[in-house]
PDB file of all heavy atoms in Angstrom:
ATOM      1  N   VAL B 323      -7.520  19.074 -17.087  1.00  0.00           N
ATOM      2  CA  VAL B 323      -7.821  20.509 -16.996  1.00  0.00           C
ATOM      3  C   VAL B 323      -6.532  21.267 -16.688  1.00  0.00           C
ATOM      4  O   VAL B 323      -5.784  20.892 -15.783  1.00  0.00           O
ATOM      5  CB  VAL B 323      -8.879  20.774 -15.901  1.00  0.00           C
ATOM      6  CG1 VAL B 323      -9.109  22.277 -15.725  1.00  0.00           C
ATOM      7  CG2 VAL B 323     -10.187  20.058 -16.246  1.00  0.00           C
ATOM      8  N   HIS B 324      -6.297  22.314 -17.480  1.00  0.00           N
ATOM      9  CA  HIS B 324      -5.093  23.122 -17.289  1.00  0.00           C
ATOM     10  C   HIS B 324      -5.345  24.251 -16.293  1.00  0.00           C
ATOM     11  O   HIS B 324      -6.410  24.839 -16.281  1.00  0.00           O
ATOM     12  CB  HIS B 324      -4.623  23.695 -18.632  1.00  0.00           C
ATOM     13  CG  HIS B 324      -4.082  22.637 -19.529  1.00  0.00           C
ATOM     14  ND1 HIS B 324      -2.732  22.414 -19.694  1.00  0.00           N
ATOM     15  CD2 HIS B 324      -4.717  21.695 -20.282  1.00  0.00           C
ATOM     16  CE1 HIS B 324      -2.557  21.392 -20.511  1.00  0.00           C
ATOM     17  NE2 HIS B 324      -3.748  20.941 -20.893  1.00  0.00           N
ATOM     18  N   VAL B 325      -4.351  24.504 -15.452  1.00  0.00           N
ATOM     19  CA  VAL B 325      -4.517  25.498 -14.398  1.00  0.00           C
ATOM     20  C   VAL B 325      -3.596  26.673 -14.721  1.00  0.00           C
ATOM     21  O   VAL B 325      -2.639  26.966 -13.995  1.00  0.00           O
ATOM     22  CB  VAL B 325      -4.150  24.896 -13.030  1.00  0.00           C
ATOM     23  CG1 VAL B 325      -4.679  25.764 -11.902  1.00  0.00           C
ATOM     24  CG2 VAL B 325      -4.676  23.477 -12.883  1.00  0.00           C
ATOM     25  N   ASP B 326      -3.901  27.356 -15.822  1.00  0.00           N
ATOM     26  CA  ASP B 326      -2.974  28.376 -16.289  1.00  0.00           C
ATOM     27  C   ASP B 326      -2.978  29.634 -15.444  1.00  0.00           C
ATOM     28  O   ASP B 326      -2.032  30.417 -15.467  1.00  0.00           O
ATOM     29  CB  ASP B 326      -3.294  28.717 -17.742  1.00  0.00           C
ATOM     30  CG  ASP B 326      -3.039  27.521 -18.650  1.00  0.00           C
ATOM     31  OD1 ASP B 326      -2.141  26.724 -18.305  1.00  0.00           O
ATOM     32  OD2 ASP B 326      -3.715  27.390 -19.676  1.00  0.00           O
ATOM     33  N   ALA B 327      -4.040  29.821 -14.666  1.00  0.00           N
ATOM     34  CA  ALA B 327      -4.178  31.049 -13.889  1.00  0.00           C
ATOM     35  C   ALA B 327      -3.001  31.276 -12.949  1.00  0.00           C
ATOM     36  O   ALA B 327      -2.730  32.397 -12.532  1.00  0.00           O
ATOM     37  CB  ALA B 327      -5.480  31.001 -13.089  1.00  0.00           C
ATOM     38  N   LEU B 328      -2.310  30.172 -12.603  1.00  0.00           N
ATOM     39  CA  LEU B 328      -1.260  30.314 -11.591  1.00  0.00           C
ATOM     40  C   LEU B 328       0.116  30.581 -12.188  1.00  0.00           C
ATOM     41  O   LEU B 328       1.111  30.657 -11.476  1.00  0.00           O
ATOM     42  CB  LEU B 328      -1.215  29.043 -10.739  1.00  0.00           C
ATOM     43  CG  LEU B 328      -2.524  28.714 -10.025  1.00  0.00           C
ATOM     44  CD1 LEU B 328      -2.414  27.370  -9.307  1.00  0.00           C
ATOM     45  CD2 LEU B 328      -2.892  29.817  -9.041  1.00  0.00           C
ATOM     46  N   LYS B 329       0.159  30.736 -13.508  1.00  0.00           N
ATOM     47  CA  LYS B 329       1.473  30.837 -14.146  1.00  0.00           C
ATOM     48  C   LYS B 329       2.285  32.032 -13.681  1.00  0.00           C
ATOM     49  O   LYS B 329       3.497  31.975 -13.576  1.00  0.00           O
ATOM     50  CB  LYS B 329       1.319  30.856 -15.669  1.00  0.00           C
ATOM     51  CG  LYS B 329       1.181  29.438 -16.236  1.00  0.00           C
ATOM     52  CD  LYS B 329       1.508  29.384 -17.710  1.00  0.00           C
ATOM     53  CE  LYS B 329       1.545  27.932 -18.181  1.00  0.00           C
ATOM     54  NZ  LYS B 329       1.350  27.797 -19.618  1.00  0.00           N
ATOM     55  N   GLU B 330       1.595  33.129 -13.416  1.00  0.00           N
ATOM     56  CA  GLU B 330       2.330  34.350 -13.058  1.00  0.00           C
ATOM     57  C   GLU B 330       2.164  34.661 -11.580  1.00  0.00           C
ATOM     58  O   GLU B 330       1.236  35.349 -11.181  1.00  0.00           O
ATOM     59  CB  GLU B 330       1.808  35.539 -13.888  1.00  0.00           C
ATOM     60  CG  GLU B 330       1.747  35.282 -15.377  1.00  0.00           C
ATOM     61  CD  GLU B 330       3.135  35.179 -16.016  1.00  0.00           C
ATOM     62  OE1 GLU B 330       4.077  35.805 -15.477  1.00  0.00           O
ATOM     63  OE2 GLU B 330       3.279  34.461 -17.020  1.00  0.00           O
ATOM     64  N   ARG B 331       3.053  34.185 -10.793  1.00  0.00           N
ATOM     65  CA  ARG B 331       2.978  34.497  -9.366  1.00  0.00           C
ATOM     66  C   ARG B 331       3.568  35.884  -9.157  1.00  0.00           C
ATOM     67  O   ARG B 331       4.701  36.158  -9.568  1.00  0.00           O
ATOM     68  CB  ARG B 331       3.734  33.468  -8.533  1.00  0.00           C
ATOM     69  CG  ARG B 331       3.602  33.755  -7.041  1.00  0.00           C
ATOM     70  CD  ARG B 331       3.948  32.559  -6.176  1.00  0.00           C
ATOM     71  NE  ARG B 331       5.321  32.133  -6.419  1.00  0.00           N
ATOM     72  CZ  ARG B 331       5.956  31.210  -5.699  1.00  0.00           C
ATOM     73  NH1 ARG B 331       5.327  30.611  -4.713  1.00  0.00           N
ATOM     74  NH2 ARG B 331       7.186  30.869  -5.976  1.00  0.00           N
ATOM     75  N   PRO B 332       2.805  36.769  -8.502  1.00  0.00           N
ATOM     76  CA  PRO B 332       3.298  38.148  -8.313  1.00  0.00           C
ATOM     77  C   PRO B 332       4.594  38.167  -7.496  1.00  0.00           C
ATOM     78  O   PRO B 332       4.800  37.314  -6.623  1.00  0.00           O
ATOM     79  CB  PRO B 332       2.169  38.819  -7.537  1.00  0.00           C
ATOM     80  CG  PRO B 332       0.960  37.972  -7.747  1.00  0.00           C
ATOM     81  CD  PRO B 332       1.465  36.578  -7.933  1.00  0.00           C
ATOM     82  N   ALA B 333       5.413  39.135  -7.774  1.00  0.00           N
ATOM     83  CA  ALA B 333       6.673  39.308  -7.047  1.00  0.00           C
ATOM     84  C   ALA B 333       6.392  39.433  -5.551  1.00  0.00           C
ATOM     85  O   ALA B 333       7.161  38.960  -4.720  1.00  0.00           O
ATOM     86  CB  ALA B 333       7.408  40.546  -7.553  1.00  0.00           C
ATOM     87  N   PHE B 334       5.271  40.051  -5.229  1.00  0.00           N
ATOM     88  CA  PHE B 334       4.893  40.248  -3.826  1.00  0.00           C
ATOM     89  C   PHE B 334       4.843  38.906  -3.076  1.00  0.00           C
ATOM     90  O   PHE B 334       5.094  38.852  -1.872  1.00  0.00           O
ATOM     91  CB  PHE B 334       3.513  40.919  -3.793  1.00  0.00           C
ATOM     92  CG  PHE B 334       3.025  41.269  -2.415  1.00  0.00           C
ATOM     93  CD1 PHE B 334       3.518  42.391  -1.735  1.00  0.00           C
ATOM     94  CD2 PHE B 334       2.066  40.493  -1.783  1.00  0.00           C
ATOM     95  CE1 PHE B 334       3.060  42.700  -0.465  1.00  0.00           C
ATOM     96  CE2 PHE B 334       1.603  40.807  -0.506  1.00  0.00           C
ATOM     97  CZ  PHE B 334       2.104  41.925   0.146  1.00  0.00           C
ATOM     98  N   TYR B 335       4.506  37.859  -3.779  1.00  0.00           N
ATOM     99  CA  TYR B 335       4.388  36.527  -3.147  1.00  0.00           C
ATOM    100  C   TYR B 335       5.543  35.607  -3.532  1.00  0.00           C
ATOM    101  O   TYR B 335       5.358  34.452  -3.878  1.00  0.00           O
ATOM    102  CB  TYR B 335       3.057  35.890  -3.526  1.00  0.00           C
ATOM    103  CG  TYR B 335       1.873  36.619  -2.932  1.00  0.00           C
ATOM    104  CD1 TYR B 335       1.057  37.424  -3.707  1.00  0.00           C
ATOM    105  CD2 TYR B 335       1.600  36.530  -1.562  1.00  0.00           C
ATOM    106  CE1 TYR B 335      -0.015  38.106  -3.157  1.00  0.00           C
ATOM    107  CE2 TYR B 335       0.527  37.212  -1.009  1.00  0.00           C
ATOM    108  CZ  TYR B 335      -0.277  38.003  -1.807  1.00  0.00           C
ATOM    109  OH  TYR B 335      -1.327  38.677  -1.253  1.00  0.00           O
ATOM    110  N   GLY B 336       6.737  36.142  -3.499  1.00  0.00           N
ATOM    111  CA  GLY B 336       7.890  35.306  -3.799  1.00  0.00           C
ATOM    112  C   GLY B 336       8.196  35.300  -5.272  1.00  0.00           C
ATOM    113  O   GLY B 336       9.170  34.721  -5.727  1.00  0.00           O
ATOM    114  N   GLY B 337       7.322  35.904  -6.009  1.00  0.00           N
ATOM    115  CA  GLY B 337       7.480  36.261  -7.390  1.00  0.00           C
ATOM    116  C   GLY B 337       7.879  35.171  -8.361  1.00  0.00           C
ATOM    117  O   GLY B 337       7.810  33.995  -8.078  1.00  0.00           O
ATOM    118  N   ALA B 338       8.309  35.614  -9.508  1.00  0.00           N
ATOM    119  CA  ALA B 338       8.795  34.758 -10.581  1.00  0.00           C
ATOM    120  C   ALA B 338       7.747  33.780 -11.060  1.00  0.00           C
ATOM    121  O   ALA B 338       7.340  32.866 -10.352  1.00  0.00           O
ATOM    122  CB  ALA B 338      10.044  33.990 -10.154  1.00  0.00           C
ATOM    123  N   SER B 339       7.360  33.988 -12.306  1.00  0.00           N
ATOM    124  CA  SER B 339       6.415  33.023 -12.881  1.00  0.00           C
ATOM    125  C   SER B 339       7.168  31.737 -13.164  1.00  0.00           C
ATOM    126  O   SER B 339       8.368  31.713 -13.282  1.00  0.00           O
ATOM    127  CB  SER B 339       5.831  33.577 -14.178  1.00  0.00           C
ATOM    128  OG  SER B 339       6.854  33.610 -15.156  1.00  0.00           O
TER     129      SER B 339
END
Side-chain angles (χ1 to χ4, degrees):
Chain B
V323 175
H324 290 260
V325 196
D326 295 330
L328 301 175
K329 277 200 172 158
E330 309 290 332
R331 183 162 60 172
F334 184 77
Y335 293 105
S339 69

